[in-house]
Amino acid sequence: MINSLRGMNDILSEDYERFTYFINTATDIAQKYGFHFIETPLLEETALFKRSVGESSDIVGKEMYQFIDKGENDVCLRPEGTAGVVRAFVQKKLDKAGGIQRYFYHGSMFRYERPQKGRLRQFHQFGVESFGVDSVYEDATMIMMVSDILIKLGIGYRLQLNSLGDNNCMPDYRTNLVKFVQACKDDICEDCVRRLDTNPIRVLDCKNSKCQELYVSAPKLIQNLCPTCSDDFETLKKILQNNGIDYEIDTNLVRGLDYYSKTAFEFVSDNIGSQSAIAGGGRYDRLVEFLDGRPTPAVGFAMGIERLMELIVMPESVRSGYYLGAMDDEAIDLVVSLTQKKRATDRSTCEYKTKNLKNHLKGADKVNAKYCAVIGSNEIADGTIWVKDLENKTEQTILLEEF
Ligand code: HAM
């Protein structure tokens, strides 16, 4: 037997209902916020992610599904959605159009991580990206959108917030942090020693508990923000308070992707185990320029659909449409053509095999139909059809023309 690859799952039956319920709910909310759908390829040039997510990140350094294709191109399966959307934005010259442009997307992402509960190698994200707004009100709006989606799905969360500063304050902070970490270099893990050279800020979210103990007294970026970043962060907190969104400040929240500046946030759930991040995002004002576009402020987020699936509180499923069945072979053709007609207005399925009434009622129940409609030789002779309303438990025999 050939099985699926490790960390790559099928989404079937009940899971699929949850999956589509999530997509429909998130899509509806994103559209209410004025976002438009965008679809970008699963395969992109590897250089795109090296330049955006960053060569020092774990995602690019260790986790990419990267290969040389038949045309000798260095390509990889996308590990995240933002880089592709920004590439499309620049390639289609939308950066030159100016104004505000807002997009949402959903689809598979690929990261060669060690699979465990909540951590897959192929997983699905729902994400949004907003271009052209440098106001922190847009950052707050992103956070409120995630909150709205989670509340609609019945999912509780904790919101963690940080500011990563900008080109004015980050370089000085980085220098101070490096000085601090250099002083305890002998006691930190190998990854952190490497990070000192590649991306020192990433030491702050090292998962090694010994490193974390040492970094408790490290300088905090949030206390070293320039006046603009500091004011924006204060405003962001005020907007969230005014709109009833609780948050925690996490000074070590640096996010695993290199493109962020200023606002960084993560939504976590305490009910799904160690892989608790259910959504993450932030501002990335320099990325469009990094990818050869006109400097354009931008902010966005992505939600991990598999992690959310088990938390979603599904609405009670509502019966709808028709199930049609034949009780005698001679009725099958009629049942098939009646089903075909009903599909013009209602969700309708039919059973191709002759069955007795009890089994047809079971079949209708299984597909959650509102009506079970059955024809046998008696009904054919009379030009009628027997219909049961499975919600109201009423039944009647009606003329085929009326049906
Ligand atoms: P990210 O934090 O890397 O951000 O991923 C977003 C979400 O995807 C995570 O919070 C998590 O729920 C889910 N996720 C990540 N890795 C896995 C995995 N291996 N298995 C299952 N779920 C996973 C980004 O990807 C950014 N592009 C978000 C963004 C958009 N920032 C600005 N715009």
Side-chain angles (χ1 to χ4, degrees):
M1 186 173 66
I2 299 174
N3 291 323
S4 69
L5 297 174
R6 271 190 80 209
M8 298 197 175
N9 289 346
D10 304 305
I11 302 175
L12 292 170
S13 50
E14 214 235 324
D15 281 348
Y16 192 71
E17 258 175 51
R18 284 173 173 267
F19 188 87
T20 46
Y21 178 61
F22 171 83
I23 298 287
N24 293 341
T25 304
T27 297
D28 180 47
I29 291 176
Q31 285 174 334
K32 287 194 172 118
Y33 276 74
F35 284 70
H36 300 280
F37 185 66
I38 185 169
E39 171 94 28
T40 64
L42 296 186
L43 207 58
E44 296 268 9
E45 276 188 44
T46 302
L48 172 66
F49 301 105
K50 286 191 171 168
R51 267 164 76 179
S52 54
V53 177
E55 299 212 47
S56 67
S57 67
D58 285 351
I59 294 177
V60 171
K62 302 181 189 169
E63 298 167 2
M64 296 237 279
Y65 276 89
Q66 182 184 355
F67 59 95
I68 305 295
D69 74 5
K70 289 182 177 145
E72 299 295 314
N73 305 297
D74 185 351
V75 297
C76 72
L77 288 170
R78 64 181 182 192
E80 59 101 53
T82 309
V85 174
V86 175
R87 191 231 359 98
F89 180 76
V90 174
Q91 188 174 340
K92 296 277 183 261
K93 301 192 175 16
L94 298 168
D95 54 329
K96 312 275 184 312
I100 300 167
Q101 319 215 20
R102 298 185 172 105
Y103 301 101
F104 73 92
Y105 53 89
H106 47 81
S108 289
M109 308 293 157
F110 302 83
R111 297 184 190 174
Y112 196 84
E113 295 189 79
R114 196 169 47 79
Q116 64 174 84
K117 185 174 179 296
R119 189 159 73 195
L120 294 160
R121 288 182 172 167
Q122 177 176 359
F123 59 99
H124 295 79
Q125 283 186 346
F126 180 93
V128 317
E129 314 295 348
S130 160
F131 297 99
V133 191
D134 65 4
S135 162
V136 74
Y137 279 91
E138 189 75 351
D139 308 33
T141 300
M142 297 292 117
I143 290 172
M144 293 194 276
M145 198 192 315
V146 180
S147 172
D148 274 359
I149 295 171
L150 295 175
I151 289 170
K152 185 82 204 233
L153 298 169
I155 299 175
Y157 65 79
R158 279 188 297 113
L159 165 63
Q160 298 173 334
L161 209 57
N162 195 16
S163 172
L164 299 175
D166 64 6
N167 274 344
N168 287 320
C169 44
M170 178 51 99
D172 282 349
Y173 172 73
R174 196 183 289 117
T175 311
N176 290 339
L177 181 69
V178 169
K179 263 192 218 148
F180 173 90
V181 181
Q182 288 281 9
C184 47
K185 199 172 173 185
D186 294 341
D187 302 315
I188 59 178
C189 72
E190 268 174 37
D191 275 344
C192 279
V193 173
R194 193 174 40 81
R195 286 173 186 136
L196 261 183
D197 291 329
T198 54
N199 189 357
I201 309 298
R202 291 289 323 275
V203 303
L204 293 174
D205 76 346
C206 176
K207 301 288 173 279
N208 183 311
S209 53
K210 222 176 119 200
C211 292
Q212 277 307 334
E213 273 171 36
L214 289 167
Y215 304 149
V216 168
S217 43
K220 305 273 178 278
L221 179 53
I222 222 163
Q223 288 155 4
N224 292 276
L225 294 173
C226 61
T228 311
C229 288
S230 178
D231 287 352
D232 275 354
F233 197 54
E234 288 310 310
T235 310
L236 174 64
K237 291 191 287 183
K238 216 162 52 207
I239 304 167
L240 295 178
Q241 278 157 19
N242 289 344
N243 287 281
I245 309 266
D246 292 335
Y247 57 82
E248 302 159 8
I249 304 296
D250 179 351
T251 52
N252 287 347
L253 178 71
V254 294
R255 309 269 302 126
L257 307 98
D258 287 357
Y259 47 63
Y260 293 109
S261 54
K262 293 189 163 183
T263 307
F265 59 86
E266 246 168 44
F267 284 75
V268 295
S269 163
D270 295 324
N271 301 318
I272 49 168
S274 65
Q275 299 305 306
S276 59
I278 49 180
R283 185 159 274 283
Y284 53 94
D285 288 344
R286 287 165 300 176
L287 185 55
V288 176
E289 201 180 351
F290 275 173
L291 295 178
D292 304 321
R294 186 176 279 178
T296 307
V299 58
F301 69 78
M303 314 178 80
I305 302 180
E306 280 80 0
R307 291 186 191 170
L308 294 167
M309 293 253 282
E310 60 179 291
L311 298 168
I312 294 173
V313 180
M314 292 287 285
E316 224 169 276
S317 70
V318 182
R319 288 186 178 279
S320 75
Y322 287 82
Y323 166 102
L324 289 94
M327 289 203 295
D328 295 294
D329 285 350
E330 61 182 304
I332 284 183
D333 281 336
L334 181 57
V335 159
V336 171
S337 48
L338 283 173
T339 308
Q340 204 51 23
K341 281 186 189 144
K342 273 288 172 208
R343 284 180 180 140
T345 50
D346 294 273
R347 180 174 77 104
S348 304
T349 55
C350 70
E351 170 57 60
Y352 304 130
K353 282 193 194 130
T354 303
K355 288 185 175 174
N356 63 26
L357 186 57
K358 196 172 150 214
N359 284 332
H360 277 314
L361 285 166
K362 269 191 199 161
D365 200 43
K366 214 165 161 191
V367 296
N368 218 13
K370 178 163 161 55
Y371 298 103
C372 177
V374 171
I375 303 184
S377 44
N378 289 345
E379 285 78 14
I380 290 195
D382 297 348
T384 58
I385 183 165
W386 179 88
V387 183
K388 178 162 184 175
D389 182 329
L390 297 172
E391 222 166 59
N392 303 335
K393 314 280 180 224
T394 54
E395 50 185 80
Q396 58 182 142
T397 300
I398 51 177
L399 287 171
L400 275 175
E401 304 95 83
E402 286 169 18
F403 181 73

